């Protein structure tokens, strides 16, 4: 009888402590990992001003970069992009306006002549819209405003 008991003990595979631990708790760990991934994905895919702008190719992207990064020299602390973002943030405080279904940020670039481009930025939301219109000369890096809203942005950049 003693031999039979030893044989039975030897025949049974010994359970691994780690396997048993994971087997009992695996669903909880999977749920926790899934929640972390879902929350991280929503934070990473959050829309903002830069994500809402369309991508262009070649000269058109250079024109957009020249305009948005324009800062009127070394003394200026703001760029056109920062001033526009600040203006939108002032209009819509404490809102994630770029993720709103009625918000549209439209940017178009048109070649006027060999070195001059017309850039139109329209921001439309449920409260209204803001329209900006500039001419950008790639060769001289000169930016001229074509409407009062655009002139205000350039003035803030220049005199900040």
């Amino acid at each position: 009888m003693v031999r039979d008991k030893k044989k039975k003990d030897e025949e049974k595979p010994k359970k691994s402590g780690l396997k048993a631990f994971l087997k009992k708790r695996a669903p909880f760990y999977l749920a926790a990992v899934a929640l972390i991934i879902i929350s991280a994905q929503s934070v990473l895919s959050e829309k903002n001003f830069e994500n809402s702008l369309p991508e262009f190719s070649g000269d058109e992207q250079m024109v957009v970069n020249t305009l948005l990064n324009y800062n009127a020299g070394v003394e200026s602390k703001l760029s056109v992009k920062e001033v526009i973002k600040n203006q939108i943030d002032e209009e819509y405080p404490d809102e994630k306006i770029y993720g709103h279904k009625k918000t549209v940020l439209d940017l178009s670039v048109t070649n006027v002549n060999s070195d001059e481009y017309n850039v139109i930025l329209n921001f439309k939301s449920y409260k209204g819209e803001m329209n900006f219109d500039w001419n950008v000369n790639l060769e001289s890096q000169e930016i001229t405003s074509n409407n009062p809203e655009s002139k205000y942005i350039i003035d803030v950049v220049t005199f900040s």
Side-chain angles (χ1 to χ4, degrees), residues 74-91:
V74 179
E75 295 178 14
S76 180
K77 297 176 184 171
L78 294 172
S79 67
V80 169
K81 177 174 37 175
E82 291 168 341
V83 174
I84 293 171
K85 284 173 27 179
N86 291 343
Q87 191 171 0
I88 292 171
D89 291 344
E90 287 174 8
E91 186 74 27

Side-chain angles (χ1 to χ4, degrees), residues 7 34 68 80 114 144:
K7 280 185 180 179
L68 294 179
V80 169
S114 63
T144 55

